Each structure stands twice: as structure tokens, then as C-alpha cells.
Amino acid sequence: QLAPWAEQERTTCYRVYDQDIPEYAVAVDVYGDSAHVQEYAAPKEIEPERAESRLRDVMAVVPEVLGIPREQVHLKVRERSRGGSQYGRQTASGRHAEGGKLLEVREGVARFFVNLTDYLDTGLFLDHRLTRRMVGELARGRRFLNLFAYTGSATVHAVKGGALATTT
């Protein structure tokens, strides 16, 4: 059902599910011909076995519903982290064995490379899409200073929108 909207928006990356059913605490994002599943840590009152069973259900259904091959569905587990550990390369779980594979996606007039395997975050926060679009629209003929530049994606939209200069 989202395909016509995605085509109209000229985007190949979007969220299809975000904890809509509380028992399934995951977010599911589409990035081109791949999916990115993020499991949020289950509340303490949920038995770990039950949470694991639900996650297995999600991982079985996502490829079928989205028509994406199972090997192109990437799983991440979001847990509370201290310091900057959430920004580091994911290595401990063994789930991210591919290493360094970049996938090109489109968002309106901008193209980005995302990494679905090596880091907790993909490098493109889908919930910031409207803000990036607004930056692109407001940047024409102006200088743009990006102080919130974890990925620099807003700067890309500023440039594509006609900014005279950017600093990130």
C-alpha cells in the first residue's frame, strides 16, 4: 500500500512498521530492495523466551510480506547504551558478518549510501525526512550551517536545494 506514496515521493526508503502492536516491539524499514528490522529491548515483565519467539515470528513474516529475500533482511537489537557505544561498529553478535556493504537509496532529489550491516544506525534517519525536505526548500540562495551533522544528510538536501555554501 505504501508503494504509490513512495513512488510519488521519489523515495526508496521508508518505515512500514513501528511498534504498532505493543507485543511486537520492532521497527521495520524498507531501504531499496532490503529491509532493516530493529528490535527494541523488551520490558522486564516480558519473558525473554516470549520476546525471542515474537522476534522469530517477525523475521519469518517480513520477507514474505515485503517480498524481500530473507538474506536481505537485516536485524539490529536496540538496547540502552552508555557513552558513544551505539555509534561504533557492530561486531560482537556475529550477525553483521558482511562488513562494509553500502546500499544506494533515493529520497526525493537526493541519493544516499546506507550501511545496513555494520552499525546500529543506517546513516539515514527516516523520521527526519520532512526536516531534510524543509532544509532543501529553504536553502536556495542561502548559506547553510549544519550543527546537527551526525550523517550530513540535511546538508545534502541543502546543496540539492540550491544553497550558496554549506558548512557541516
Side-chain angles (χ1 to χ4, degrees):
Q1 292 178 341
L2 291 174
W5 168 85
E7 186 64 32
Q8 178 183 339
E9 292 291 313
R10 295 176 44 200
T11 189
T12 59
C13 45
Y14 49 93
R15 178 152 291 170
V16 295
Y17 179 85
D18 193 7
Q19 302 184 79
D20 299 314
I21 302 170
E23 292 80 13
Y24 293 88
V26 298
V28 180
D29 299 323
V30 170
Y31 286 91
D33 60 359
S34 296
H36 187 253
V37 178
Q38 300 173 75
E39 179 192 33
Y40 299 104
K44 292 187 186 334
E45 61 270 9
I46 302 292
E47 298 171 25
E49 297 81 21
R50 177 163 270 189
E52 287 177 30
S53 173
R54 290 176 178 161
L55 181 59
R56 280 193 302 276
D57 291 345
V58 168
M59 295 305 289
V61 168
V62 164
E64 180 182 327
V65 171
L66 297 179
I68 292 174
R70 191 170 308 281
E71 62 273 4
Q72 289 173 221
V73 177
H74 305 276
L75 173 64
K76 307 282 180 54
V77 177
R78 289 197 165 276
E79 299 172 313
R80 286 214 178 267
S81 59
R82 302 199 191 289
S85 64
Q86 73 268 27
Y87 302 116
R89 186 176 289 271
Q90 305 283 297
T91 57
S93 72
R95 292 181 185 168
H96 313 291
E98 292 176 45
K101 184 177 179 190
L102 298 178
L103 174 69
E104 184 177 329
V105 295
R106 189 180 72 219
E107 183 181 78
V109 298
R111 293 183 307 155
F112 298 97
F113 287 103
V114 294
N115 184 325
L116 302 182
T117 59
D118 294 350
Y119 299 91
L120 185 58
D121 295 320
T122 65
L124 187 64
F125 299 103
L126 300 181
D127 55 341
H128 297 173
R129 180 189 324 278
L130 295 177
T131 302
R132 288 190 294 270
R133 178 187 295 166
M134 183 179 68
V135 165
E137 292 168 357
L138 295 174
R140 179 170 301 287
R142 297 188 170 141
R143 294 164 31 114
F144 178 68
L145 173 62
N146 185 354
L147 296 177
F148 185 72
Y150 176 55
T151 67
S153 56
T155 302
V156 172
H157 276 275
V159 169
K160 298 298 270 182
L164 295 176
T166 64
T167 301
T168 302

